[in-house]
């Protein structure tokens, strides 16, 4: 089994061929926006981070930007900095280059103002867009594929239809030699023992530590997680406790052995099923997985979440037929057919797997067709 | 996993004391799954849970054969099972806070 992708010089394989313009700091958001308005073929992201950050929080922010920019779905990157930021733009560009990515960097203060920076940015981005045209797709083995899995706007059908169907597709990806990321640690609380049973002791210990961290945070705040997760929408959909949500969530990752636990936005080093430390917040999770190298994401939803990544196709699987019909434009696969009795879990699993292969080959799922470009970095410390 | 004859409710594991309504259940709707036969004592919205067995206050509520929480009050067979009568046991920072001040 193969997919058609862009073979990058560093050995990774992209499924899209984007030119990315990213600010190293929020002060450069205006400049990247102007570059993006002029060059609509370029992908521009904006964010409110990159300054007055310290320690692990700063490291995570920088790792996320570097990983995102070096995702093989990106052919080349322009970093735009201000000049006095914590996340120094040249150091970020150096980090991106060290991952084998083509990168250019400009600064607003160094360029004597925003107008010059925008002009220079348009020049460099235009050149990178022209260069990117020479890339062609070639067959690649699944050992080059990292599939991110996610559920958002869950309901009680998530754990009965869409998540188990996605799990079947995830098992196929692993059987073909690929990697599958299972994330959103708060939504593993209460189900972690089922994953630990399928992992080595060292990996199980890391997993339990991540879960303990989430529960310690709730304890430090003196709150019941249920006030925020399950969300009001989850509760309206019939989910009662975080354990119930988690027990349905873990099906997404399939049934193979858990091989590794990685940090937020960290690239897996092993193939097979991997857990990434992300929050349950949809866009931070999505950004973390894509920064960790995921080229394709499958996202299940019961309430109807339209989210998409700026650089990776996100395939939407509805958990019930009602939402699939009502939000047809935002959804790709209907797993509600399992409850209707018209399809089996295996059949929907096959359908999701085919979508993954086709999306890798260039087919655009709804979120990409509609140009959803959600981007958010998970912060783990305060701004100073 | 067991589906009721009319396809209206699903019991995910034979250990479970609840089932999931795959269709909205009216008051008095019959629920027959495995060897359990009860009727809904109130309307159950689609996707929500209904008690199959007698659940005492403090009993664990089981779904997928796993613990999903604990009953805060006694729940009779046929009753709606949700946030009004079940609490989670995990991520309960509020309980930890209560202990700290006790």
């Amino acid at each position: 089994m193969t997919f058609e992708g862009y073979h990058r010089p560093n050995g990774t394989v992209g499924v899209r061929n984007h030119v990315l313009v990213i600010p190293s700091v929020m002060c450069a958001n205006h400049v990247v926006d102007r570059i993006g308005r002029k060059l609509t073929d370029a992908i521009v992201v904006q964010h409110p981070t990159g300054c007055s950050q310290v320690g692990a929080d700063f490291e995570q922010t920088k790792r996320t930007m570097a990983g995102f920019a070096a995702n093989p779905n990106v052919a080349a990157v322009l970093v735009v900095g201000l000049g006095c930021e914590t996340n120094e733009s040249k150091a970020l560009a150096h980090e991106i280059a060290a991952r084998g990515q083509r990168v250019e960097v400009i600064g607003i203060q160094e360029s004597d103002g925003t107008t010059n920076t925008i002009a220079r940015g348009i020049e460099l981005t235009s050149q990178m867009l022209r260069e990117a045209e020479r890339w062609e797709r070639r067959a690649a083995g699944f050992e080059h594929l990292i599939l991110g899995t996610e559920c958002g706007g869950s309901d009680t059908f998530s754990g009965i239809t869409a998540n188990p169907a996605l799990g079947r597709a995830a098992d196929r990806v692993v059987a073909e030699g690929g990697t599958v990321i299972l994330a959103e640690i708060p939504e593993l609380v209460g189900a972690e023992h089922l994953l630990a049973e399928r992992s080595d002791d060292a990996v199980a210990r890391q997993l339990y530590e991540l879960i303990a961290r989430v529960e310690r945070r709730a304890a430090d705040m003196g709150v019941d997680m249920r006030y925020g997760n399950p969300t009001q929408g989850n509760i309206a959909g019939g989910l009662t406790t975080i354990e119930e949500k988690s027990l349905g969530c873990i099906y997404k990752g399939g049934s193979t052995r858990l091989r590794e636990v990685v940090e937020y936005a960290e690239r897996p080093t092993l193939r097979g099923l991997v857990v990434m430390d992300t929050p349950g917040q949809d866009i931070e999770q999505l950004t973390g997985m894509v920064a960790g190298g995921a080229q394709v994401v499958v996202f299940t939803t019961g309430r109807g979440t339209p989210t998409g990544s700026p650089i990776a196709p996100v395939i939407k699987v509805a958990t019930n037929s009602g939402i699939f019909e009502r939000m047809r434009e935002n959804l790709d696969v209907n797993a509600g057919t399992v409850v209707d009795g018209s399809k089996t879990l295996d059949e929907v699993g096959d359908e999701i797997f085919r979508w993954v292969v086709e999306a890798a080959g260039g087919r655009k799922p709804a979120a990409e067709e509609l140009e959803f470009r959600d981007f958010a970095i998970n912060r783990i410390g305060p701004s100073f | 996993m067991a589906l009721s004859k009319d396809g209206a409710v699903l019991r995910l594991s034979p250990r479970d004391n609840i089932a999931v309504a795959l269709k909205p259940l009216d008051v008095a709707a019959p629920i027959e799954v495995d060897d359990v036969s009860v009727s809904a004592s109130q309307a159950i919205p689609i996707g929500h849970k209904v008690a199959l067995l007698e659940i005492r206050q403090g009993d664990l509520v089981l779904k997928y054969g796993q613990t999903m929480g604990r009953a805060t009050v006694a729940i009779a067979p046929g009753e709606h099972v949700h946030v009004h009568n079940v609490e989670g046991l995990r991520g309960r920072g509020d309980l930890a806070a209560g202990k700290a001040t006790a």
Side-chain angles (χ1 to χ4, degrees):
Chain A
M1 194 84 201
T2 58
F3 66 94
E4 297 290 316
Y6 302 96
H7 293 247
R8 306 297 184 196
N10 66 2
T12 60
V13 178
V15 306
R16 293 295 181 269
N17 199 38
H18 294 303
V19 170
L20 176 71
V21 182
I22 186 169
S24 63
V25 62
M26 66 289 235
C27 313
N29 277 344
H30 168 83
V31 168
V32 301
D33 174 57
R34 290 305 151 116
I35 296 170
R37 288 191 200 191
K38 181 75 181 173
L39 301 172
T40 51
D41 285 344
I43 298 282
V44 169
V45 298
Q46 293 175 303
H47 56 76
T49 66
C51 206
S52 308
Q53 292 181 251
V54 297
D57 177 52
F58 170 61
E59 290 306 320
Q60 178 156 305
T61 293
K62 189 174 174 184
R63 178 172 73 243
T64 307
M65 288 187 205
F68 196 85
N71 183 295
N73 290 357
V74 175
V77 187
L78 173 67
V79 174
V80 183
L82 176 60
C84 52
E85 64 270 31
T86 309
N87 188 28
E88 208 270 307
S89 56
K90 283 178 186 148
L92 174 63
H94 185 264
E95 177 67 38
I96 294 168
R99 295 168 185 239
Q101 181 64 289
R102 158 107 166 85
V103 58
E104 297 281 353
V105 56
I106 51 174
I108 295 168
Q109 291 162 357
E110 206 175 66
S111 305
D112 303 328
T114 52
T115 305
N116 285 344
T117 317
I118 293 164
R120 181 71 184 132
I122 289 170
E123 210 175 292
L124 287 166
T125 308
S126 303
Q127 190 189 329
M128 290 192 291
L129 283 167
R130 279 194 303 275
E131 282 174 19
E133 287 172 15
R134 71 185 153 83
W135 291 95
E136 282 177 8
R137 290 183 184 271
R138 281 192 289 116
F142 266 66
E143 68 273 19
H144 295 292
L145 186 76
I146 302 178
L147 174 71
T149 67
E150 181 160 357
C151 51
S154 298
D155 64 5
T156 44
F157 291 109
S158 302
I160 298 172
T161 61
N163 289 348
L166 172 52
R168 281 158 170 78
D171 284 349
R172 281 282 293 282
V173 169
V174 171
E176 296 285 347
T179 300
V180 171
I181 301 176
L182 177 66
E184 47 204 327
I185 304 301
E187 294 162 22
L188 299 179
V189 170
E192 68 275 23
H193 58 291
L194 301 172
L195 278 172
E197 283 168 5
R198 288 161 30 206
S199 61
D200 295 341
D201 289 351
V203 173
R205 270 197 301 278
Q206 282 177 289
L207 177 67
Y208 280 122
E209 178 46 40
L210 291 185
I211 299 288
R213 234 195 270 173
V214 170
E215 291 193 282
R216 272 201 301 272
R217 224 171 286 151
D220 288 347
M221 295 172 75
V223 294
D224 181 352
M225 260 180 75
R226 188 157 80 177
Y227 289 122
N229 197 346
T231 64
Q232 289 309 308
N234 294 152
I235 290 171
L239 289 171
T240 303
T241 64
I242 189 63
E243 295 96 309
E244 181 185 13
K245 187 174 176 181
S246 299
L247 290 164
C249 265
I250 60 158
Y251 286 115
K252 305 195 289 293
S255 60
T256 60
R257 279 189 77 74
L258 173 63
R259 303 287 313 281
E260 188 177 25
V261 172
V262 296
E263 292 288 337
Y264 181 83
E266 185 187 7
R267 194 179 169 86
T269 66
L270 299 176
R271 301 211 296 265
L273 179 62
V274 172
V275 162
M276 179 182 283
D277 180 14
T278 79
Q281 203 256 43
D282 291 337
I283 298 169
E284 291 183 4
Q285 180 197 347
L286 180 61
T287 303
M289 294 193 299
V290 173
Q295 303 109 307
V296 181
V297 175
V298 179
F299 189 120
T300 70
T301 182
R303 311 289 296 171
T305 304
T307 301
S309 169
I311 60 168
V314 177
I315 301 158
K316 287 284 158 54
V317 182
T319 73
N320 65 86
S321 296
I323 201 66
F324 185 75
E325 296 308 331
R326 287 203 303 283
M327 288 183 66
R328 186 67 194 84
E329 60 168 353
N330 299 106
L331 302 166
D332 301 295
V333 176
N334 180 15
T337 48
V338 171
V339 166
D340 303 346
S342 56
K343 282 188 185 160
T344 64
L345 277 175
D346 285 338
E347 285 168 344
V348 178
D350 283 348
E351 196 180 337
I352 295 170
F353 182 74
R354 277 199 307 278
W355 241 115
V356 169
V357 175
E358 287 173 17
R363 183 179 179 191
K364 288 185 180 181
E368 191 176 20
E369 202 68 75
L370 294 171
E371 298 183 346
F372 274 80
R373 291 178 182 174
D374 298 318
F375 181 86
I377 300 173
N378 172 235
R379 295 285 307 272
I380 50 174
S383 299
F384 283 91
Chain B
M1 213 185 295
L3 194 62
S4 64
K5 267 180 232 124
D6 59 357
V9 304
L10 179 69
R11 187 190 207 181
L12 287 148
S13 159
R15 294 186 61 204
D16 293 357
N17 44 15
I18 55 96
V20 178
L22 300 183
K23 297 171 183 166
L25 303 179
D26 293 331
V27 178
I31 298 163
E32 288 179 33
V33 61
D34 293 329
D35 55 351
V36 180
S37 179
V38 299
S39 64
S41 54
Q42 57 203 120
I44 312 289
I46 183 167
H48 286 232
K49 294 172 290 296
V50 60
L52 290 179
L53 307 173
E54 190 75 50
I55 303 172
R56 289 164 305 177
Q57 183 180 3
D59 277 358
L60 296 180
V61 178
L62 302 177
K63 183 180 176 187
Y64 307 102
Q66 302 285 328
T67 301
M68 60 151 279
R70 179 169 56 198
T72 52
V73 293
I75 307 171
E79 260 187 71
H80 185 207
V81 176
H82 204 14
V83 288
H84 61 285
N85 52 18
V86 175
E87 63 177 353
L89 301 170
R90 302 290 303 277
R92 292 295 302 274
D94 56 329
L95 297 182
K99 264 179 226 150
T101 54

